[in-house]
Amino acid sequence: MSPVDPPETDPADRDPREQDLSRRSHAPAVSPWLVIGVVLMLGAFVYVASAYFT
């Protein structure tokens, strides 16, 4: 495994894909609203399923 930015290299010598990944890494991998939405959908599903099967 090689270091991300070796001391001897100029930033222009780095792989452009690596720069793209570093630019995108400032955002969270999963949006908090997505997690909240999934939890709410699961809750609604459990509510409907419990009402249906009892």
Side-chain angles (χ1 to χ4, degrees):
M1 190 158 114
S2 63
V4 175
D5 191 13
E8 306 84 45
T9 59
D10 186 15
D13 294 337
R14 282 189 264 151
D15 190 2
R17 292 175 295 180
E18 182 181 315
Q19 292 175 351
D20 187 39
L21 288 174
S22 69
R23 183 178 67 238
R24 290 185 297 172
S25 65
H26 298 295
V30 177
S31 169
W33 289 111
L34 178 64
V35 174
I36 292 169
V38 167
V39 168
L40 289 174
M41 296 266 301
L42 284 173
F45 176 74
V46 168
Y47 177 76
V48 169
S50 66
Y52 182 73
F53 291 115
T54 55

